[in-house]
Amino acid sequence: MTIYHQHIVIRANEIGLVTNEAFLDACQELMDAKGNSADIGSVFTQHIGDVLKLGDDASKLFRGIHNWKMGKGKDAK
């Protein structure tokens, strides 16, 4: 059983994707990405195509996590 970051679960619930395990996994993988910006960017690139299919809210959350990991935002919203 995967344990997801609390913020991911809360936001996914707000946008109706809390039961979409693939989306939650992608977000968690991005949150867990370690290393330099290339490593984070690689995880982002791997999943963004599928995330875009889930709509604007999913994309906004996923991009928010990416920006936060890259140091471009205060939070993952």
Side-chain angles (χ1 to χ4, degrees), residues 3-68:
I3 298 174
Y4 301 107
H5 187 276
Q6 178 182 355
H7 185 75
I8 294 171
V9 174
I10 291 169
R11 288 288 294 130
N13 188 50
E14 290 172 353
I15 62 176
L17 291 172
V18 74
T19 59
N20 188 318
E21 191 172 339
F23 176 69
L24 294 173
D25 287 344
C27 290
Q28 188 62 51
E29 185 177 348
L30 189 56
M31 286 288 291
D32 292 343
K34 303 273 191 255
N36 60 32
S37 60
D39 296 333
I40 296 166
S42 177
V43 173
F44 179 82
T45 301
Q46 179 182 351
H47 295 291
I48 190 62
D50 293 328
V51 171
L52 288 172
K53 295 174 188 175
L54 298 174
D56 292 340
D57 289 335
S59 176
K60 181 178 177 182
L61 175 56
F62 194 68
R63 288 177 193 274
I65 294 169
H66 174 262
N67 290 344
W68 176 75

